[in-house]
Amino acid sequence: MPSNPTVKLLFEEESTAAGDDLGNWNRKTQQNGSGGIKREKRRFRCGLCWCLSLSGVMLLAGIAIGLFAFTRLYAGCIEEKRNDNEDSELTLEEEIFAECGQGYPWKQVRLPTDISPTNYRLKIHPNLESLEIVGTVDMELQVENETRIIVFHAQDMNLTSFTIRLGSQRVHARHLICPRLLQWAFETDEPFPAKSVIRLSIDYTGFIHKDLSGLYINTHQDKRNGTNDTTVYRISAVTQFEPTHARKMLPCFDEPNFKAVFDISIIRKKEHLARTNMQLIRSEDYEDE
Ligand SMILES: *[C@@H]1O[C@H](CO)[C@@H](O)[C@H](O)[C@H]1NC(C)=O
Ligand SMILES: *[C@@H]1O[C@H](CO)[C@@H](O)[C@H](O)[C@H]1NC(C)=O
Ligand SMILES: *[C@@H]1O[C@H](CO)[C@@H](O)[C@H](O)[C@H]1NC(C)=O
Ligand SMILES: *[C@@H]1O[C@H](CO)[C@@H](O)[C@H](O)[C@H]1NC(C)=O
């Protein structure tokens, strides 16, 4: 598939920006060489630059609009500054506490290793017009060490329903969300025994992204239109999962150590094509409700 240089450039920008999402603030601030500068401080600095560059623009744009905008922006900066003073000593654990709630049972960026996936059965319906994704993922999970929590990644999606089974037995669990860590957790009262196998089934909704990450919408030029030699524009939904974007398409253990087998069903329109790097098992008619 042809890709133009603009797409490549944007992709590189996206990868760099994604680093921030992983809780790499510490690394960044160390590079700054000034020790304990925290996330909020950086935010405030950005706010300040924004004020300064905008006041430059406003001189050109006219005083009437300028005054209004400046008041608004100035208020914004004050707000950020106050934030900075309050939160300047937050540790990762305190941020998790603040953003994910007191009860969130995991406090690290890296997932626990007590449970690992062996198989994902994914059924996904990406709608190329509405850009909505409706999906179901059935995970087969191997319990290595006894634990009461299943923790994995999920970003930009909502849970519709879930079931957890231990053997033939259905297990009750609480669903917990941590935006700070881009994780979901299921917590049970009774621990899953070591060496057991869990089946976790999740129905969810998500969306096709426009920023070249996860499952994203792509437009490309195609010179071939049957025998008609005119350029046509074609739309496709394409995956870019590295480094940490698989979690935007399906709930999953989105770290390189958690390797597993995927069985994928894609619900598509008759006139669309589905392409993957593995062979097709079968294709059948599907009745949409
Ligand atoms: C399981 O627990 C043992 C003992 O605490 C530990 O050494 C091992 O690393 C754990 N295994 C995993 C996969 O976390
Ligand atoms: C998830 O739910 C929130 C709140 O109801 C909503 O704003 C958002 O659009 C939903 N996202 C998806 C992908 O369904
Ligand atoms: C492709 O060519 C066919 C005729 O061969 C024409 O009907 C159709 O409009 C063309 N599509 C586009 C998008 O140009
Ligand atoms: C080729 O496609 C263009 C664009 O849709 C259309 O205007 C033209 O009539 C088509 N030519 C033939 C020979 O089908």
Side-chain angles (χ1 to χ4, degrees):
M1 189 186 296
S3 61
N4 62 44
T6 321
V7 169
K8 288 216 166 112
L9 178 66
L10 282 168
F11 168 65
E12 277 154 20
E13 283 173 5
E14 166 61 21
S15 318
T16 332
D20 288 352
D21 283 341
L22 279 174
N24 283 343
W25 292 97
N26 288 341
R27 188 170 55 81
K28 293 225 155 160
T29 48
Q30 272 154 23
Q31 279 167 1
N32 286 348
S34 42
I37 302 174
K38 290 287 193 283
R39 195 176 174 187
E40 289 69 24
K41 198 160 257 175
R42 291 167 51 86
R43 226 189 258 153
F44 169 59
R45 286 190 173 171
C46 287
L48 192 61
C49 302
W50 189 220
C51 283
L52 292 177
S53 58
L54 253 129
S55 9
V57 173
M58 277 182 287
L59 286 179
L60 301 170
I63 289 168
I65 302 171
L67 273 179
F68 175 70
F70 188 78
T71 331
R72 297 289 302 257
L73 270 167
Y74 189 65
C77 288
I78 299 281
E79 183 77 34
E80 291 280 13
K81 191 178 176 191
R82 206 180 297 127
N83 242 342
D84 180 42
N85 289 339
E86 274 172 14
D87 302 342
S88 58
E89 298 305 326
L90 282 192
T91 62
L92 175 65
E93 191 158 337
E94 285 163 340
E95 283 180 16
I96 293 166
F97 188 95
E99 284 183 41
C100 315
Q102 182 178 1
Y104 193 74
W106 188 246
K107 305 282 186 270
Q108 292 171 40
V109 172
R110 285 306 185 92
L111 299 177
T113 54
D114 297 324
I115 288 185
S116 50
T118 48
N119 179 264
Y120 295 89
R121 281 210 331 257
L122 173 67
K123 185 168 98 179
I124 189 165
H125 181 187
N127 186 323
L128 269 64
E129 275 116 50
S130 69
L131 301 188
E132 287 163 342
I133 295 174
V134 178
T136 301
V137 62
D138 290 312
M139 303 182 195
E140 187 181 273
L141 307 171
Q142 177 72 42
V143 182
E144 216 49 64
N145 284 336
E146 185 178 285
T147 180
R148 293 199 302 117
I149 53 172
I150 310 174
V151 184
F152 51 88
H153 294 106
Q155 182 180 2
D156 297 340
M157 56 182 64
N158 291 332
L159 181 105
T160 313
S161 65
F162 72 93
T163 55
I164 299 176
R165 284 199 171 77
L166 182 62
S168 59
Q169 204 183 354
R170 197 157 159 186
V171 177
H172 286 279
R174 287 172 293 282
H175 174 231
L176 301 150
I177 300 172
C178 187
R180 176 67 184 88
L181 299 173
L182 310 175
Q183 290 173 0
W184 284 358
F186 290 98
E187 188 178 28
T188 59
D189 295 329
E190 296 293 321
F192 299 107
K195 308 299 167 203
S196 59
V197 174
I198 309 170
R199 302 201 71 93
L200 168 59
S201 177
I202 295 173
D203 295 318
Y204 68 97
T205 57
F207 59 90
I208 300 177
H209 289 72
K210 295 180 180 170
D211 64 354
L212 308 168
S213 72
L215 182 67
Y216 70 89
I217 198 86
N218 181 56
T219 308
H220 72 272
Q221 292 183 2
D222 192 350
K223 286 259 196 253
R224 290 166 296 115
N225 179 23
T227 52
N228 187 331
D229 196 24
T230 52
T231 300
V232 295
Y233 289 90
R234 297 196 190 280
I235 282 182
S236 49
V238 188
T239 54
Q240 170 54 43
F241 283 176
E242 289 194 324
T244 58
H245 303 313
R247 65 191 69 175
K248 294 182 178 180
M249 187 178 103
L250 76 154
C252 60
F253 292 67
D254 196 6
E255 285 177 14
N257 280 343
F258 294 106
K259 297 199 182 354
V261 175
F262 280 78
D263 300 299
I264 302 176
S265 307
I266 300 169
I267 299 168
R268 59 164 171 87
K269 286 194 157 185
K270 267 204 156 84
E271 66 267 28
H272 289 163
L273 289 173
R275 292 207 165 117
T276 78
N277 57 1
M278 292 295 283
Q279 68 274 26
L280 176 70
I281 294 172
R282 67 172 184 279
S283 186
E284 59 195 32
D285 284 346
Y286 180 85
E287 290 299 325
D288 212 354
E289 63 273 6

